[in-house]
Amino acid sequence: MAGTILTVVVLVLIVAGAVWLIRQRAATRERELEDAKSEARRWVERLGGQVLNLVGTDEASKQALADAAERYNAAGSQLDQAKTNAQARHVTETAYEGLYYVRAARTAMGIDPGPDLPPLPGQQRAGAVTEDRNVDVEGHSYSASPEASERNRHYYPGGMVAGRPVPRGWYSEPWWRPALVAGAWGLGSALLFTSLFSGMSGVAYADGFADGAAQGDMGTDGGFDGGDPGAGDPGDFGGGDFGGDFGGGDFGGGFGDF
């Protein structure tokens, strides 16, 4: 009889301990999620402050601010839906991308771009446009430049798009957007990349599309491409994992100091 009672007591203690442990883990996850969402909200608000208070003075800055506003709206929507730490981090990363567009707009207007941002995943691998280039591909004219101009008024901060590195720079048109939507490049992409970037120092395609593609295949770490379909967790807003949690620091001060 005493043995039975002891067994029951032990089982009750085990069950109680398991319930306590499950509740503790749930509470810890909830705290971590709230912390991640709070950090994300802070960066979204900084982006919003810039978007709402800046007015472009030329076509390039207006376009860059429009792109920043798009990221601001996307980040706000993502924040409302965030249920996991990974999703909250995606919100922060979307806000970072928007702030890169803000910096581009400010630079185009000739004003202080503000404090540096951490590099975006895939940005360093993709490199940057280092010279003006004008090419004709399949009867269509494209151009790229390290500086904004009336012709080159579409900015991209650099990163991975559908598994391929797109260099940071200003372009005549956002030719990478179809790949963002479809998750894959069209048939003419090899010729476009080779024509625009082959032989250009500082970009992943300096030696041609094949080498740049090979670098891209080293890992589709998401980039700031709006999400690489099929990458990352299914719950991460349909996008790839950007490959890092940038929420842990202020990175040189508030963007209110612009």
Side-chain angles (χ1 to χ4, degrees):
M1 184 68 177
T4 301
I5 294 176
L6 180 61
T7 300
V8 171
V9 170
V10 170
L11 289 175
V12 169
L13 290 175
I14 291 174
V15 171
V19 170
W20 178 85
L21 182 60
I22 292 172
R23 289 179 176 177
Q24 285 296 107
R25 289 180 175 176
T28 298
R29 287 196 297 268
E30 184 66 24
R31 286 195 301 270
E32 291 175 347
L33 175 59
E34 288 304 313
D35 289 344
K37 291 179 69 174
S38 177
E39 181 69 7
R41 187 175 296 108
R42 184 165 65 91
W43 285 99
V44 171
E45 289 173 354
R46 292 185 179 188
L47 173 58
Q50 293 295 306
V51 168
L52 297 175
N53 290 304
L54 283 174
V55 178
T57 58
D58 54 24
E59 291 303 317
S61 59
K62 289 177 182 178
Q63 181 61 56
L65 288 174
D67 289 333
E70 182 182 21
R71 271 60 174 185
Y72 173 62
N73 291 333
S77 176
Q78 290 174 355
L79 185 60
D80 291 338
Q81 301 174 50
K83 303 298 183 184
T84 67
N85 289 348
Q87 290 176 343
R89 287 196 297 269
H90 277 298
V91 177
T92 302
E93 291 152 359
T94 300
Y96 281 141
E97 184 180 5
L99 288 167
Y100 265 94
Y101 281 98
V102 169
R103 284 176 57 85
R106 296 177 68 95
T107 300
M109 291 188 287
I111 58 180
D112 182 6
D116 289 337
L117 289 167
L120 310 181
Q123 187 182 53
Q124 292 180 327
R125 180 189 303 170
V129 176
T130 55
E131 63 184 65
D132 292 333
R133 184 160 292 185
N134 295 276
V135 299
D136 288 317
V137 178
E138 298 180 341
H140 192 82
S141 179
Y142 299 89
S143 65
S145 176
E147 305 292 338
S149 66
E150 183 176 349
R151 173 169 171 74
N152 297 305
R153 59 189 184 186
H154 294 276
Y155 180 74
Y156 189 72
M160 303 299 294
V161 177
R164 298 289 180 263
V166 175
R168 180 178 72 254
W170 292 88
Y171 298 92
S172 56
E173 59 185 87
W175 44 264
W176 55 89
R177 284 186 179 173
L180 293 180
V181 176
W185 292 98
L187 295 177
S189 61
L191 181 57
L192 173 59
F193 273 91
T194 299
S195 299
L196 265 180
F197 304 121
S198 181
M200 183 185 295
S201 63
V203 302
Y205 296 88
D207 295 321
F209 179 82
D211 289 344
Q215 291 188 46
D217 289 337
M218 289 172 63
T220 54
D221 57 1
F224 275 75
D225 58 15
D228 185 358
D233 296 331
D236 292 345
F237 304 117
D241 187 351
F242 287 90
D245 181 1
F246 296 111
D250 201 339
F251 300 113
F255 277 84
D257 297 334
F258 271 111

